[in-house]
PDB file of all heavy atoms in Angstrom:
ATOM      1  N   ARG A 235     168.129 163.762 107.242  1.00 96.00           N
ATOM      2  CA  ARG A 235     167.801 163.989 105.781  1.00 96.00           C
ATOM      3  C   ARG A 235     169.046 163.575 104.958  1.00 96.00           C
ATOM      4  O   ARG A 235     168.895 163.354 103.744  1.00 96.00           O
ATOM      5  CB  ARG A 235     167.477 165.373 105.478  1.00 96.00           C
ATOM      6  CG  ARG A 235     166.166 165.873 106.214  1.00 96.00           C
ATOM      7  CD  ARG A 235     165.007 165.169 105.810  1.00 96.00           C
ATOM      8  NE  ARG A 235     163.712 165.711 106.421  1.00 96.00           N
ATOM      9  CZ  ARG A 235     162.519 165.186 106.314  1.00 96.00           C
ATOM     10  NH1 ARG A 235     162.330 164.022 105.553  1.00 96.00           N
ATOM     11  NH2 ARG A 235     161.434 165.711 106.955  1.00 96.00           N
ATOM     12  N   HIS A 236     170.181 163.640 105.468  1.00 96.00           N
ATOM     13  CA  HIS A 236     171.437 163.393 104.690  1.00 96.00           C
ATOM     14  C   HIS A 236     172.277 162.239 105.117  1.00 96.00           C
ATOM     15  O   HIS A 236     172.404 162.074 106.449  1.00 96.00           O
ATOM     16  CB  HIS A 236     172.268 164.684 104.666  1.00 96.00           C
ATOM     17  CG  HIS A 236     171.535 165.846 104.225  1.00 96.00           C
ATOM     18  ND1 HIS A 236     171.161 165.951 102.868  1.00 96.00           N
ATOM     19  CD2 HIS A 236     170.999 166.937 104.767  1.00 96.00           C
ATOM     20  CE1 HIS A 236     170.511 167.217 102.747  1.00 96.00           C
ATOM     21  NE2 HIS A 236     170.411 167.743 103.922  1.00 96.00           N
ATOM     22  N   HIS A 237     172.743 161.408 104.384  1.00 96.00           N
ATOM     23  CA  HIS A 237     173.533 160.250 104.678  1.00 96.00           C
ATOM     24  C   HIS A 237     174.850 160.564 105.429  1.00 96.00           C
ATOM     25  O   HIS A 237     175.197 159.740 106.301  1.00 96.00           O
ATOM     26  CB  HIS A 237     173.856 159.383 103.460  1.00 96.00           C
ATOM     27  CG  HIS A 237     174.905 159.881 102.603  1.00 96.00           C
ATOM     28  ND1 HIS A 237     174.696 160.815 101.574  1.00 96.00           N
ATOM     29  CD2 HIS A 237     176.253 159.655 102.593  1.00 96.00           C
ATOM     30  CE1 HIS A 237     175.806 161.044 100.964  1.00 96.00           C
ATOM     31  NE2 HIS A 237     176.747 160.407 101.537  1.00 96.00           N
ATOM     32  N   GLU A 238     175.291 161.790 105.252  1.00 97.00           N
ATOM     33  CA  GLU A 238     176.519 162.074 105.989  1.00 97.00           C
ATOM     34  C   GLU A 238     176.223 162.227 107.524  1.00 97.00           C
ATOM     35  O   GLU A 238     177.029 161.701 108.289  1.00 97.00           O
ATOM     36  CB  GLU A 238     176.999 163.506 105.572  1.00 97.00           C
ATOM     37  CG  GLU A 238     177.613 163.519 104.168  1.00 97.00           C
ATOM     38  CD  GLU A 238     176.565 163.805 103.132  1.00 97.00           C
ATOM     39  OE1 GLU A 238     175.339 163.886 103.471  1.00 97.00           O
ATOM     40  OE2 GLU A 238     176.930 164.038 101.976  1.00 97.00           O
ATOM     41  N   GLU A 239     175.055 162.672 107.937  1.00 97.00           N
ATOM     42  CA  GLU A 239     174.692 162.713 109.206  1.00 97.00           C
ATOM     43  C   GLU A 239     174.391 161.323 109.840  1.00 97.00           C
ATOM     44  O   GLU A 239     174.725 160.960 110.927  1.00 97.00           O
ATOM     45  CB  GLU A 239     173.612 163.600 109.500  1.00 97.00           C
ATOM     46  CG  GLU A 239     173.106 163.774 110.931  1.00 97.00           C
ATOM     47  CD  GLU A 239     171.935 164.789 111.190  1.00 97.00           C
ATOM     48  OE1 GLU A 239     171.541 165.313 110.194  1.00 97.00           O
ATOM     49  OE2 GLU A 239     171.488 164.726 112.322  1.00 97.00           O
ATOM     50  N   ALA A 240     173.849 160.479 108.957  1.00 98.00           N
ATOM     51  CA  ALA A 240     173.430 159.206 109.420  1.00 98.00           C
ATOM     52  C   ALA A 240     174.699 158.320 109.622  1.00 98.00           C
ATOM     53  O   ALA A 240     174.690 157.320 110.295  1.00 98.00           O
ATOM     54  CB  ALA A 240     172.600 158.489 108.327  1.00 98.00           C
ATOM     55  N   MET A 241     175.855 158.612 109.028  1.00 98.00           N
ATOM     56  CA  MET A 241     176.998 157.868 109.127  1.00 98.00           C
ATOM     57  C   MET A 241     177.515 157.690 110.582  1.00 98.00           C
ATOM     58  O   MET A 241     178.200 156.683 110.929  1.00 98.00           O
ATOM     59  CB  MET A 241     178.135 158.389 108.210  1.00 98.00           C
ATOM     60  CG  MET A 241     177.988 158.016 106.747  1.00 98.00           C
ATOM     61  SD  MET A 241     178.126 156.381 106.377  1.00 98.00           S
ATOM     62  CE  MET A 241     179.815 156.127 106.846  1.00 98.00           C
ATOM     63  N   GLN A 242     177.282 158.670 111.418  1.00 98.00           N
ATOM     64  CA  GLN A 242     177.753 158.675 112.832  1.00 98.00           C
ATOM     65  C   GLN A 242     177.044 157.507 113.592  1.00 98.00           C
ATOM     66  O   GLN A 242     177.577 156.988 114.541  1.00 98.00           O
ATOM     67  CB  GLN A 242     177.477 159.961 113.502  1.00 98.00           C
ATOM     68  CG  GLN A 242     176.003 160.322 113.705  1.00 98.00           C
ATOM     69  CD  GLN A 242     175.848 161.555 114.299  1.00 98.00           C
ATOM     70  OE1 GLN A 242     176.281 161.792 115.441  1.00 98.00           O
ATOM     71  NE2 GLN A 242     175.205 162.515 113.564  1.00 98.00           N
ATOM     72  N   TYR A 243     175.947 156.939 112.963  1.00 98.00           N
ATOM     73  CA  TYR A 243     175.326 155.781 113.722  1.00 98.00           C
ATOM     74  C   TYR A 243     175.508 154.462 113.087  1.00 98.00           C
ATOM     75  O   TYR A 243     174.781 153.440 113.457  1.00 98.00           O
ATOM     76  CB  TYR A 243     173.752 156.181 113.705  1.00 98.00           C
ATOM     77  CG  TYR A 243     173.418 157.408 114.398  1.00 98.00           C
ATOM     78  CD1 TYR A 243     172.936 158.526 113.672  1.00 98.00           C
ATOM     79  CD2 TYR A 243     173.760 157.554 115.744  1.00 98.00           C
ATOM     80  CE1 TYR A 243     172.680 159.732 114.302  1.00 98.00           C
ATOM     81  CE2 TYR A 243     173.493 158.794 116.350  1.00 98.00           C
ATOM     82  CZ  TYR A 243     172.913 159.814 115.714  1.00 98.00           C
ATOM     83  OH  TYR A 243     172.541 161.115 116.295  1.00 98.00           O
ATOM     84  N   THR A 244     176.515 154.399 112.220  1.00 98.00           N
ATOM     85  CA  THR A 244     176.903 153.057 111.664  1.00 98.00           C
ATOM     86  C   THR A 244     177.776 152.289 112.553  1.00 98.00           C
ATOM     87  O   THR A 244     178.289 152.791 113.526  1.00 98.00           O
ATOM     88  CB  THR A 244     177.604 153.249 110.244  1.00 98.00           C
ATOM     89  OG1 THR A 244     178.854 154.095 110.523  1.00 98.00           O
ATOM     90  CG2 THR A 244     176.750 153.977 109.269  1.00 98.00           C
ATOM     91  N   ALA A 245     177.958 151.010 112.222  1.00 98.00           N
ATOM     92  CA  ALA A 245     178.843 150.129 113.103  1.00 98.00           C
ATOM     93  C   ALA A 245     180.213 150.623 113.257  1.00 98.00           C
ATOM     94  O   ALA A 245     180.767 150.584 114.346  1.00 98.00           O
ATOM     95  CB  ALA A 245     178.730 148.663 112.489  1.00 98.00           C
ATOM     96  N   ARG A 246     180.764 151.083 112.137  1.00 98.00           N
ATOM     97  CA  ARG A 246     182.128 151.628 112.279  1.00 98.00           C
ATOM     98  C   ARG A 246     182.311 152.784 113.233  1.00 98.00           C
ATOM     99  O   ARG A 246     183.250 152.866 114.052  1.00 98.00           O
ATOM    100  CB  ARG A 246     182.590 152.078 110.828  1.00 98.00           C
ATOM    101  CG  ARG A 246     184.019 152.664 110.798  1.00 98.00           C
ATOM    102  CD  ARG A 246     184.430 152.976 109.403  1.00 98.00           C
ATOM    103  NE  ARG A 246     183.607 154.066 108.662  1.00 98.00           N
ATOM    104  CZ  ARG A 246     182.929 153.763 107.627  1.00 98.00           C
ATOM    105  NH1 ARG A 246     182.749 152.612 107.108  1.00 98.00           N
ATOM    106  NH2 ARG A 246     182.258 154.756 107.089  1.00 98.00           N
ATOM    107  N   ASN A 247     181.226 153.622 113.150  1.00 98.00           N
ATOM    108  CA  ASN A 247     181.456 154.837 113.998  1.00 98.00           C
ATOM    109  C   ASN A 247     180.781 154.797 115.450  1.00 98.00           C
ATOM    110  O   ASN A 247     181.275 155.350 116.440  1.00 98.00           O
ATOM    111  CB  ASN A 247     180.813 156.025 113.239  1.00 98.00           C
ATOM    112  CG  ASN A 247     181.695 156.298 112.015  1.00 98.00           C
ATOM    113  OD1 ASN A 247     182.916 156.233 112.078  1.00 98.00           O
ATOM    114  ND2 ASN A 247     181.002 156.628 110.925  1.00 98.00           N
ATOM    115  N   PHE A 248     179.595 154.123 115.520  1.00 98.00           N
ATOM    116  CA  PHE A 248     178.762 154.107 116.676  1.00 98.00           C
ATOM    117  C   PHE A 248     179.248 153.142 117.641  1.00 98.00           C
ATOM    118  O   PHE A 248     179.308 153.461 118.968  1.00 98.00           O
ATOM    119  CB  PHE A 248     177.329 153.924 116.554  1.00 98.00           C
ATOM    120  CG  PHE A 248     176.445 154.131 117.515  1.00 98.00           C
ATOM    121  CD1 PHE A 248     176.185 155.411 118.066  1.00 98.00           C
ATOM    122  CD2 PHE A 248     175.834 153.114 118.271  1.00 98.00           C
ATOM    123  CE1 PHE A 248     175.318 155.630 119.118  1.00 98.00           C
ATOM    124  CE2 PHE A 248     175.032 153.320 119.365  1.00 98.00           C
ATOM    125  CZ  PHE A 248     174.776 154.566 119.700  1.00 98.00           C
ATOM    126  N   ILE A 249     179.738 151.970 117.324  1.00 98.00           N
ATOM    127  CA  ILE A 249     180.256 150.969 118.281  1.00 98.00           C
ATOM    128  C   ILE A 249     181.664 150.549 117.984  1.00 98.00           C
ATOM    129  O   ILE A 249     182.149 149.541 118.476  1.00 98.00           O
ATOM    130  CB  ILE A 249     179.345 149.756 118.279  1.00 98.00           C
ATOM    131  CG1 ILE A 249     179.133 149.035 116.986  1.00 98.00           C
ATOM    132  CG2 ILE A 249     177.969 150.002 118.836  1.00 98.00           C
ATOM    133  CD1 ILE A 249     178.525 147.697 116.869  1.00 98.00           C
ATOM    134  N   ASP A 250     182.414 151.348 117.151  1.00 97.00           N
ATOM    135  CA  ASP A 250     183.807 151.012 116.838  1.00 97.00           C
ATOM    136  C   ASP A 250     183.937 149.651 116.254  1.00 97.00           C
ATOM    137  O   ASP A 250     184.835 148.890 116.497  1.00 97.00           O
ATOM    138  CB  ASP A 250     184.757 151.198 117.989  1.00 97.00           C
ATOM    139  CG  ASP A 250     184.658 152.566 118.643  1.00 97.00           C
ATOM    140  OD1 ASP A 250     184.792 153.522 117.777  1.00 97.00           O
ATOM    141  OD2 ASP A 250     184.612 152.725 119.841  1.00 97.00           O
ATOM    142  N   GLY A 251     182.957 149.245 115.537  1.00 98.00           N
ATOM    143  CA  GLY A 251     182.771 147.821 115.050  1.00 98.00           C
ATOM    144  C   GLY A 251     183.902 147.331 114.220  1.00 98.00           C
ATOM    145  O   GLY A 251     184.305 146.105 114.368  1.00 98.00           O
ATOM    146  N   ASN A 252     184.596 148.190 113.461  1.00 97.00           N
ATOM    147  CA  ASN A 252     185.729 147.736 112.690  1.00 97.00           C
ATOM    148  C   ASN A 252     186.887 147.156 113.510  1.00 97.00           C
ATOM    149  O   ASN A 252     187.737 146.536 112.975  1.00 97.00           O
ATOM    150  CB  ASN A 252     186.105 148.840 111.730  1.00 97.00           C
ATOM    151  CG  ASN A 252     185.222 149.039 110.507  1.00 97.00           C
ATOM    152  OD1 ASN A 252     184.058 148.460 110.503  1.00 97.00           O
ATOM    153  ND2 ASN A 252     185.512 149.878 109.681  1.00 97.00           N
ATOM    154  N   THR A 253     186.938 147.500 114.766  1.00 97.00           N
ATOM    155  CA  THR A 253     187.959 147.054 115.563  1.00 97.00           C
ATOM    156  C   THR A 253     187.839 145.811 116.277  1.00 97.00           C
ATOM    157  O   THR A 253     188.774 145.252 116.732  1.00 97.00           O
ATOM    158  CB  THR A 253     188.399 148.249 116.636  1.00 97.00           C
ATOM    159  OG1 THR A 253     187.236 148.332 117.572  1.00 97.00           O
ATOM    160  CG2 THR A 253     188.584 149.653 116.019  1.00 97.00           C
ATOM    161  N   TRP A 254     186.581 145.308 116.324  1.00 97.00           N
ATOM    162  CA  TRP A 254     186.388 144.115 117.125  1.00 97.00           C
ATOM    163  C   TRP A 254     185.389 143.076 116.526  1.00 97.00           C
ATOM    164  O   TRP A 254     185.490 141.818 116.855  1.00 97.00           O
ATOM    165  CB  TRP A 254     185.883 144.409 118.556  1.00 97.00           C
ATOM    166  CG  TRP A 254     184.691 145.263 118.629  1.00 97.00           C
ATOM    167  CD1 TRP A 254     184.515 146.646 118.450  1.00 97.00           C
ATOM    168  CD2 TRP A 254     183.316 144.797 118.828  1.00 97.00           C
ATOM    169  NE1 TRP A 254     183.185 147.034 118.638  1.00 97.00           N
ATOM    170  CE2 TRP A 254     182.459 145.940 118.972  1.00 97.00           C
ATOM    171  CE3 TRP A 254     182.768 143.516 119.118  1.00 97.00           C
ATOM    172  CZ2 TRP A 254     181.095 145.832 119.094  1.00 97.00           C
ATOM    173  CZ3 TRP A 254     181.374 143.464 119.405  1.00 97.00           C
ATOM    174  CH2 TRP A 254     180.526 144.560 119.440  1.00 97.00           C
ATOM    175  N   ILE A 255     184.604 143.518 115.520  1.00 98.00           N
ATOM    176  CA  ILE A 255     183.681 142.506 114.928  1.00 98.00           C
ATOM    177  C   ILE A 255     184.348 141.650 113.916  1.00 98.00           C
ATOM    178  O   ILE A 255     184.100 140.434 113.847  1.00 98.00           O
ATOM    179  CB  ILE A 255     182.465 143.151 114.210  1.00 98.00           C
ATOM    180  CG1 ILE A 255     181.603 144.029 115.368  1.00 98.00           C
ATOM    181  CG2 ILE A 255     181.554 142.223 113.535  1.00 98.00           C
ATOM    182  CD1 ILE A 255     180.503 144.827 114.808  1.00 98.00           C
ATOM    183  N   PRO A 256     185.222 142.095 113.034  1.00 98.00           N
ATOM    184  CA  PRO A 256     185.802 141.268 111.989  1.00 98.00           C
ATOM    185  C   PRO A 256     186.533 139.983 112.506  1.00 98.00           C
ATOM    186  O   PRO A 256     186.436 138.982 111.837  1.00 98.00           O
ATOM    187  CB  PRO A 256     186.842 142.192 111.315  1.00 98.00           C
ATOM    188  CG  PRO A 256     186.319 143.495 111.535  1.00 98.00           C
ATOM    189  CD  PRO A 256     185.730 143.567 112.888  1.00 98.00           C
ATOM    190  N   GLN A 257     187.167 140.064 113.656  1.00 96.00           N
ATOM    191  CA  GLN A 257     187.905 138.933 114.161  1.00 96.00           C
ATOM    192  C   GLN A 257     186.989 137.705 114.607  1.00 96.00           C
ATOM    193  O   GLN A 257     187.380 136.642 114.701  1.00 96.00           O
ATOM    194  CB  GLN A 257     188.754 139.401 115.359  1.00 96.00           C
ATOM    195  CG  GLN A 257     187.927 139.735 116.602  1.00 96.00           C
ATOM    196  CD  GLN A 257     188.811 140.414 117.587  1.00 96.00           C
ATOM    197  OE1 GLN A 257     189.883 140.925 117.354  1.00 96.00           O
ATOM    198  NE2 GLN A 257     188.302 140.496 118.805  1.00 96.00           N
ATOM    199  N   THR A 258     185.746 138.037 114.698  1.00 97.00           N
ATOM    200  CA  THR A 258     184.724 136.979 115.045  1.00 97.00           C
ATOM    201  C   THR A 258     184.226 136.167 113.816  1.00 97.00           C
ATOM    202  O   THR A 258     183.629 135.097 113.957  1.00 97.00           O
ATOM    203  CB  THR A 258     183.452 137.556 115.838  1.00 97.00           C
ATOM    204  OG1 THR A 258     182.787 138.366 114.905  1.00 97.00           O
ATOM    205  CG2 THR A 258     183.959 138.334 117.014  1.00 97.00           C
ATOM    206  N   GLY A 259     184.399 136.818 112.592  1.00 97.00           N
ATOM    207  CA  GLY A 259     183.793 136.146 111.403  1.00 97.00           C
ATOM    208  C   GLY A 259     182.303 136.340 111.263  1.00 97.00           C
ATOM    209  O   GLY A 259     181.717 135.935 110.226  1.00 97.00           O
ATOM    210  N   VAL A 260     181.731 137.141 112.057  1.00 98.00           N
ATOM    211  CA  VAL A 260     180.300 137.468 111.848  1.00 98.00           C
ATOM    212  C   VAL A 260     180.197 138.543 110.887  1.00 98.00           C
ATOM    213  O   VAL A 260     180.855 139.624 110.887  1.00 98.00           O
ATOM    214  CB  VAL A 260     179.676 137.962 113.255  1.00 98.00           C
ATOM    215  CG1 VAL A 260     178.323 138.469 113.022  1.00 98.00           C
ATOM    216  CG2 VAL A 260     179.688 136.795 114.226  1.00 98.00           C
ATOM    217  N   PRO A 261     179.257 138.423 109.887  1.00 98.00           N
ATOM    218  CA  PRO A 261     179.086 139.339 108.869  1.00 98.00           C
ATOM    219  C   PRO A 261     178.538 140.667 109.325  1.00 98.00           C
ATOM    220  O   PRO A 261     177.718 140.610 110.285  1.00 98.00           O
ATOM    221  CB  PRO A 261     178.140 138.761 107.795  1.00 98.00           C
ATOM    222  CG  PRO A 261     177.348 137.685 108.693  1.00 98.00           C
ATOM    223  CD  PRO A 261     178.369 137.271 109.647  1.00 98.00           C
ATOM    224  N   TYR A 262     178.840 141.712 108.770  1.00 98.00           N
ATOM    225  CA  TYR A 262     178.285 143.048 109.143  1.00 98.00           C
ATOM    226  C   TYR A 262     178.745 144.050 108.049  1.00 98.00           C
ATOM    227  O   TYR A 262     179.560 143.750 107.295  1.00 98.00           O
ATOM    228  CB  TYR A 262     178.860 143.502 110.523  1.00 98.00           C
ATOM    229  CG  TYR A 262     180.228 144.129 110.458  1.00 98.00           C
ATOM    230  CD1 TYR A 262     180.349 145.502 110.695  1.00 98.00           C
ATOM    231  CD2 TYR A 262     181.430 143.354 110.234  1.00 98.00           C
ATOM    232  CE1 TYR A 262     181.751 146.083 110.622  1.00 98.00           C
ATOM    233  CE2 TYR A 262     182.601 143.877 110.204  1.00 98.00           C
ATOM    234  CZ  TYR A 262     182.736 145.237 110.481  1.00 98.00           C
ATOM    235  OH  TYR A 262     184.085 145.844 110.371  1.00 98.00           O
ATOM    236  N   TYR A 263     178.074 145.236 108.035  1.00 97.00           N
ATOM    237  CA  TYR A 263     178.606 146.273 107.340  1.00 97.00           C
ATOM    238  C   TYR A 263     178.749 147.464 108.207  1.00 97.00           C
ATOM    239  O   TYR A 263     178.000 147.868 109.110  1.00 97.00           O
ATOM    240  CB  TYR A 263     177.617 146.690 106.130  1.00 97.00           C
ATOM    241  CG  TYR A 263     176.172 146.529 106.372  1.00 97.00           C
ATOM    242  CD1 TYR A 263     175.360 147.488 107.040  1.00 97.00           C
ATOM    243  CD2 TYR A 263     175.515 145.250 105.866  1.00 97.00           C
ATOM    244  CE1 TYR A 263     174.020 147.243 107.167  1.00 97.00           C
ATOM    245  CE2 TYR A 263     174.218 145.068 106.150  1.00 97.00           C
ATOM    246  CZ  TYR A 263     173.416 146.098 106.769  1.00 97.00           C
ATOM    247  OH  TYR A 263     172.076 145.827 106.922  1.00 97.00           O
ATOM    248  N   GLY A 264     179.950 147.987 107.988  1.00 97.00           N
ATOM    249  CA  GLY A 264     180.410 149.154 108.849  1.00 97.00           C
ATOM    250  C   GLY A 264     179.716 150.479 108.567  1.00 97.00           C
ATOM    251  O   GLY A 264     179.643 151.277 109.409  1.00 97.00           O
ATOM    252  N   GLY A 265     179.233 150.609 107.349  1.00 97.00           N
ATOM    253  CA  GLY A 265     178.612 151.860 106.847  1.00 97.00           C
ATOM    254  C   GLY A 265     177.167 151.664 106.765  1.00 97.00           C
ATOM    255  O   GLY A 265     176.530 150.972 107.428  1.00 97.00           O
TER     256      GLY A 265
END
Side-chain angles (χ1 to χ4, degrees):
R235 301 295 184 184
H236 303 289
H237 74 273
E238 293 88 353
E239 183 178 352
M241 282 295 296
Q242 66 183 299
Y243 301 115
T244 59
R246 177 173 64 245
N247 296 320
F248 190 71
I249 58 171
D250 301 316
N252 287 4
T253 67
W254 57 280
I255 298 176
Q257 63 192 21
T258 69
V260 173
Y262 80 107
Y263 31 86

